[in-house]
Amino acid sequence: IRENEPDIYRSTHKFLDVKGYLIHRATGEFVTSPDEANLTWLADTRGGRARWSEVLLKDYDIAVELLPEIRASTDLAGKLKPEAAGELGLEPGTPVVVGAGDITAAAIGSGAIGEGELHIYIGTSDWVAGHVSERKTDVAHYIGSLLSAIPGKYLLIAEQEVATGALEWVMRLSGLKGQYERVEELVKKTEPGSGGLIFMPWFYGERAPIDDPYVRGGVLGLSLDHDIGELLRSVMEGVAFNVRWAYEYVEKLVGRKEHVNLIGGGALFDVWCQILADVLRREVRRMEYPQEAGVRGVSAIASVGLGIFGSFEEAVSKFRVEEVFRPEAERAKTYDRLFELFLEAYKRTKKIYRMARRP
């Protein structure tokens, strides 16, 4: 903005993200949360807390006065102003809690808040994440830690670009848009391995564990004998292989886990939950209302911040596991073999994608 829109930069009072702007409209305060401050890459986040880094601000010649105050996610940002209260249909003076970003809120909504406990989110994108007391990183595989919504803790996270986004794409092209029950039925009828298809879900490049902007999606092994059920199942399996790829590196940082919590819209497919359990060889625990994890997490943050619950552990104790999916040995063996082919597919094609992107 400073280099391309200098007039706007000179007239700017504060730089805010979306949440910070909404808080300002609601309360008049200029506030951000530690996780959101972390994502500006202008904060010192050592020691489990965030403060604007004098060194980084000096390097980029940014005045600290342009940035909002950093407060804990559970802190009170302020009280609802009469004008905002009227627009929202709420009482003036209603407390407004600082809150958190989408990933850190959903992480609490997953119920996995114990040290090193992991959860997986399967939505338009996907991630593997877990709360840790000390910052952990695996730079080579694009896995790092952000400050979490739980004061003093970090969220170790491996994020991937596309998950249900790929399934929605196939559903749209095949005339099955919105027909989720039909898709579940077709995939359940299809044998594990999808008739030898290997789906690669890298539609927008990939972050963890390869940090490759050139790689793209595809399907290996297609023939005229394959049907839509096999293609749909291959998408679910390909996403699961991709998750396992990142999951294995995350477990190296936190230790082996015998179960993992699952959230996100993709978790509404029973068959996808089972595929994940078989591919990961881990017990997958689908949380109740998995698609509402973000809302549940924000509610927990507010409840702790307002003293309704004395701790996050107490708040999360109210969350329920809806169903448990356990790995089946024979399917797991099939997926072990296909996972190795999935990795080999990337190794052998990554140069082609890079060359294809050149002018």
Side-chain angles (χ1 to χ4, degrees):
I1 293 173
R2 181 173 59 202
E3 293 174 4
N4 295 287
E5 300 177 289
D7 290 342
I8 291 177
Y9 188 86
R10 282 193 296 269
S11 62
T12 296
H13 179 64
K14 292 285 183 184
F15 282 100
L16 303 171
D17 58 18
V18 174
K19 177 169 65 63
Y21 174 73
L22 293 174
I23 288 173
H24 176 67
R25 286 293 304 274
T27 68
E29 300 291 331
F30 296 105
V31 178
T32 192
S33 52
D35 59 321
E36 301 285 76
N38 199 156
L39 287 170
T40 67
W41 311 119
L42 294 172
D44 182 343
T45 59
R46 292 171 292 187
R49 63 189 182 94
R51 56 273 193 202
W52 298 118
S53 168
E54 293 182 6
V55 174
L56 292 173
L57 293 180
K58 183 178 179 180
D59 285 346
Y60 290 103
D61 191 22
I62 297 173
V64 70
E65 291 77 20
L66 288 171
L67 303 176
E69 179 185 356
I70 303 172
R71 296 186 197 170
S73 292
T74 50
D75 281 356
L76 195 67
K79 296 292 184 68
L80 198 61
K81 296 187 300 182
E83 180 184 351
E87 292 183 27
L88 295 170
L90 299 171
E91 289 293 323
T94 298
V96 178
V97 176
V98 173
D102 55 353
I103 293 179
T104 45
I108 291 175
S110 75
I113 67 166
E115 182 68 25
E117 287 185 347
L118 298 179
H119 78 271
I120 294 171
Y121 165 82
I122 300 290
T124 303
S125 62
D126 70 75
W127 66 68
V128 181
H131 292 90
V132 291
S133 297
E134 296 183 3
R135 188 164 58 181
K136 298 176 183 290
T137 58
D138 179 349
V139 176
H141 298 103
Y142 211 67
I143 298 170
S145 297
L146 300 174
L147 283 167
S148 81
I150 302 175
K153 284 198 171 187
Y154 294 92
L155 185 69
L156 176 67
I157 183 166
E159 189 173 2
Q160 299 180 318
E161 292 285 3
V162 176
T164 63
L167 185 67
E168 295 280 2
W169 177 76
V170 174
M171 290 171 63
R172 175 170 53 83
L173 293 185
S174 59
L176 291 169
K177 184 177 180 179
Q179 299 182 46
Y180 301 108
E181 291 182 2
R182 176 62 176 156
V183 168
E184 176 108 44
E185 178 186 344
L186 288 167
V187 174
K188 280 185 176 179
K189 289 180 179 178
T190 302
E191 289 295 316
S194 305
L197 296 182
I198 297 176
F199 182 81
M200 300 171 291
W202 312 306
F203 281 26
Y204 285 125
E206 192 50 278
R207 301 189 193 189
I210 52 177
D211 189 22
D212 187 340
Y214 299 101
V215 67
R216 287 296 181 269
V219 186
L220 291 179
L222 271 174
S223 78
L224 293 175
D225 295 326
H226 285 108
D227 59 30
I228 186 61
E230 289 168 322
L231 182 57
L232 290 166
R233 187 177 184 103
S234 76
V235 173
M236 293 186 180
E237 291 174 341
V239 169
F241 293 146
N242 209 36
V243 169
R244 173 173 167 175
W245 198 5
Y247 184 90
E248 290 183 349
Y249 289 111
V250 172
E251 269 201 340
K252 287 181 180 179
L253 294 171
V254 298
R256 180 184 171 90
K257 306 299 171 184
E258 296 306 322
H259 72 268
V260 60
N261 290 5
L262 183 63
I263 58 173
L268 296 173
F269 290 100
D270 288 355
V271 67
W272 210 342
C273 296
Q274 187 59 57
I275 288 170
L276 276 167
D278 293 333
V279 168
L280 294 173
R281 287 183 173 267
R282 299 290 186 276
E283 182 179 279
V284 169
R285 298 178 178 180
R286 178 172 66 198
M287 301 304 292
E288 187 176 37
Y289 305 113
Q291 76 277 28
E292 306 295 351
V295 176
R296 190 162 55 239
V298 169
S299 299
I301 293 168
S303 296
V304 173
L306 296 173
I308 297 170
F309 293 116
S311 66
F312 278 99
E313 287 75 15
E314 185 183 357
V316 167
S317 70
K318 308 298 181 182
F319 302 168
R320 291 196 291 266
V321 174
E322 181 183 77
E323 190 166 351
V324 176
F325 299 84
R326 296 179 176 84
E328 193 276 322
E330 287 305 311
R331 288 194 299 264
K333 286 181 183 178
T334 296
Y335 287 139
D336 284 347
R337 180 180 64 84
L338 291 174
F339 176 64
E340 293 303 319
L341 295 178
F342 177 84
L343 298 182
E344 191 67 22
Y346 172 71
K347 291 176 185 177
R348 297 198 180 202
T349 59
K350 62 180 180 179
K351 289 184 180 179
I352 296 174
Y353 290 117
R354 188 175 291 268
M355 293 170 64
R357 298 280 289 178
R358 289 176 180 168

